[in-house]
Amino acid sequence: MGVPTGNAENGKKIFIQKCAQCHPIEKGARHKVGPNLFGVVGRKSGSFADYKYTDANKNKGVTWTDDALFEYLENPKKFIPGTKMVFAGLKKAAERADIIAYLKTAK
């Protein structure tokens, strides 16, 4: 597929606007409605032991690579049917790439 090169600073702004109300990203932060996304890049879906994921998320068995995140962020419900994530997705490829670049800084 090929993920465009993202800008982490832009990604941080987008994350704050569209993601932070449901997801923390700081190391050790408590989960909100969604799981903490610290270290999400390279992690398996549904793998935080102390977060109650849907079976769909746990059973997807995807590793959150750049390509997987890029596709997921476009349409979460299409990528993981049955997910409880209500976010509609980001249609702009540049916004998805920017968020991925930002997520990669949280490790």
Side-chain angles (χ1 to χ4, degrees):
M1 174 187 308
V3 177
T5 301
N7 178 299
E9 281 302 310
N10 289 343
K12 181 178 182 177
K13 292 173 191 168
I14 297 165
F15 186 90
I16 289 168
Q17 292 173 342
K18 301 187 183 243
C19 311
Q21 58 271 31
C22 294
H23 293 279
I25 194 167
E26 298 79 21
K27 183 176 185 173
R30 295 176 57 94
H31 302 298
K32 294 183 180 178
V33 172
N36 186 336
L37 297 180
F38 182 84
V40 70
V41 179
R43 192 168 68 214
K44 275 227 182 275
S45 64
S47 64
F48 257 134
D50 63 342
Y51 182 78
K52 187 164 173 56
Y53 293 96
T54 60
D55 287 340
N57 197 294
K58 288 188 281 189
N59 295 335
K60 179 71 174 183
V62 66
T63 297
W64 293 120
T65 62
D66 290 11
D67 286 334
L69 283 164
F70 192 72
E71 186 177 349
Y72 177 75
L73 289 169
E74 182 176 21
N75 188 337
K77 289 192 179 293
K78 180 179 178 188
F79 191 80
I80 302 180
T83 184
K84 66 182 174 182
M85 185 156 144
V86 296
F87 183 65
L90 295 168
K91 302 309 173 208
K92 294 179 183 176
E95 288 185 348
R96 296 193 314 271
D98 290 346
I99 285 189
I100 292 166
Y102 176 61
L103 290 173
K104 289 167 89 173
T105 69
K107 55 183 179 165

